[in-house]
Amino acid sequence: MAGKWDSTLKQLIKINPQHFVSWLLAGAHYVGELSPHLNRSLDMDALHEVLIDGKQYALHIEFQRRTDASMARRIWEYNVLASSLLGYTIISFVIYLKEDGVVVTSPFVQPHPDGSEIHRFYFTNVKLWEVPKEALTQIGLAALLPLVPLTQNGATYAAVEETVNSIEQLTEDEMTKKELVSLTLVLASLAFSGKQEDQTWLIRRFKMQHDLLHDTPLYQLILEEGVEKGLEKGLEKGLEKARQEKLRDDRTTIQRVVQAKFPHIARLAIETTEAMTDNKQLQDLIVYVSIAQTEAEARKYLDEAIRTATNG
């Protein structure tokens, strides 16, 4: 799953892989993370070794923001390659984040010209908007809770409040708590509509969590504060002026995040952001550098951003 939500969901799994294993494969036990890199051009979203009744398997997860007509074939290709490399059975899941057209169903079949089948491959689709929110809130697995806003009846203010409260009650480690609350609010921004009242509520909710999230500089808080200041100055002064102000705010946010987390590449962050003029690309980059775990990962995001800005 390329794009804005890729790193966000991968980071969520890393917080507690066993929670995802328990949700998708009842009775399975997490052993360890496996490399999702299959070859020069193919990378899975997540691949983990698990044990089921003492037997070795791998759990493969793909996250999808949008439907893809070629998804079944792609999952089959991933599965076959990973099985060949590892030598044991791969169990594949596709988790769709938001309803967006027709989802390709399982199984994937490759027919023989004579009408028989060459391959028949089964995978499991999880359409979060069809999953009752209680299916995640009542099992006591904190790492799954940020997905609640994307579930059936989960895209409400009350559901998000309940989710944040549950995370705080279930999670003892302060940094994990911060990460889970941050990711909950990130995914709420995807789940909610684009209506002004929803965005206003999110701004207020981020401000309420400011102390908790202070050490994890999640982009929406600073981003939305920038939007709010722009609105206060008055949209009547012109959309272009507001856009330019927002560009400056977003550039400053990225530069400050990189300076705080990876000071050795602060100059690269300045050069990259000054070359960028697209609001959405800057907003995406805020997410990426905020959740980057290493300097190398942050550098990769900056390099990709400046290439896009230059070529675009």
Side-chain angles (χ1 to χ4, degrees):
M1 179 190 70
K4 176 178 179 179
W5 305 104
D6 190 5
S7 295
T8 301
L9 276 301
K10 290 179 183 178
Q11 179 65 21
L12 179 57
I13 292 181
K14 288 181 178 180
I15 290 175
N16 195 320
Q18 179 61 60
H19 287 184
F20 278 83
V21 170
S22 297
W23 175 42
L24 298 173
L25 293 174
H29 299 281
Y30 172 74
V31 176
E33 185 177 6
L34 298 167
S35 172
H37 183 66
L38 301 177
N39 59 34
R40 185 175 300 176
S41 60
L42 288 179
D43 290 281
M44 296 170 152
D45 280 349
L47 187 65
H48 295 96
E49 181 182 351
V50 300
L51 290 178
I52 303 176
D53 295 329
K55 188 174 180 181
Q56 190 178 40
Y57 295 87
L59 171 62
H60 165 215
I61 300 174
E62 289 293 316
F63 290 103
Q64 282 293 115
R65 164 62 183 89
R66 302 186 183 280
T67 56
D68 181 351
S70 66
M71 196 65 202
R73 183 182 183 86
R74 182 150 60 93
I75 295 298
W76 166 74
E77 185 176 11
Y78 288 163
N79 193 289
V80 171
L81 286 173
S83 297
S84 299
L85 290 170
L86 295 172
Y88 47 87
T89 300
I90 313 296
I91 306 171
S92 294
F93 288 79
V94 185
I95 300 178
Y96 287 90
L97 305 182
K98 195 168 184 178
E99 189 169 11
D100 178 55
V102 178
V103 172
V104 178
T105 59
S106 178
F108 169 73
V109 176
Q110 273 200 331
H112 191 282
D114 66 7
S116 62
E117 295 177 358
I118 299 174
H119 292 285
R120 175 174 283 262
F121 165 67
Y122 290 88
F123 58 97
T124 302
N125 286 324
V126 178
K127 294 179 278 190
L128 285 174
W129 62 91
E130 293 182 355
V131 175
K133 66 181 177 65
E134 293 77 14
L136 299 184
T137 59
Q138 295 180 0
I139 56 179
L141 302 177
L144 301 179
L145 292 177
L147 297 176
V148 167
L150 300 171
T151 61
Q152 186 181 103
N153 300 321
T156 66
Y157 304 158
V160 173
E161 294 288 1
E162 291 171 5
T163 300
V164 170
N165 291 336
S166 296
I167 289 171
E168 293 174 345
Q169 293 171 9
L170 289 172
T171 311
E172 295 182 359
D173 180 75
E174 286 301 316
M175 184 54 68
T176 301
K177 184 184 300 184
K178 293 173 184 178
E179 291 175 335
L180 290 174
V181 171
S182 299
L183 291 166
T184 299
L185 297 177
V186 170
L187 293 173
S189 72
L190 171 62
F192 284 4
S193 71
K195 294 180 180 178
Q196 183 59 49
E197 56 264 34
D198 289 339
Q199 302 311 310
T200 300
W201 186 86
L202 275 174
I203 292 171
R204 292 173 180 168
R205 198 61 188 83
F206 269 102
K207 287 182 176 179
M208 289 174 62
Q209 295 294 140
H210 186 277
D211 290 340
L212 178 64
L213 305 181
H214 186 268
D215 295 331
T216 56
L218 188 64
Y219 90 104
Q220 280 103 329
L221 176 60
I222 304 172
L223 170 64
E224 296 295 350
E225 286 177 346
V227 173
E228 191 175 42
K229 286 186 291 186
L231 292 173
E232 289 171 356
K233 291 178 181 178
L235 292 178
E236 70 278 1
K237 294 182 179 180
L239 292 177
E240 181 58 25
K241 182 177 179 181
R243 191 181 79 84
Q244 291 299 326
E245 289 176 354
K246 186 139 176 346
L247 284 174
R248 289 195 295 272
D249 288 343
D250 290 349
R251 287 171 180 148
T252 299
T253 297
I254 294 168
Q255 293 165 14
R256 287 178 176 174
V257 170
V258 173
Q259 177 64 48
K261 296 178 68 177
F262 312 110
H264 290 159
I265 58 172
R267 171 53 58 184
L268 175 61
I270 293 172
E271 293 173 353
T272 299
T273 54
E274 291 302 322
M276 297 173 69
T277 58
D278 184 275
N279 292 90
K280 183 179 183 304
Q281 290 174 1
L282 279 165
Q283 291 166 27
D284 290 348
L285 186 56
I286 294 172
V287 174
Y288 297 147
V289 298
S290 295
I291 63 177
Q293 298 298 303
T294 65
E295 181 179 301
E297 187 179 358
R299 182 185 292 275
K300 183 189 74 170
Y301 292 138
L302 291 168
D303 287 343
E304 290 175 350
I306 199 168
R307 280 198 299 271
T308 300
T310 302
N311 297 332

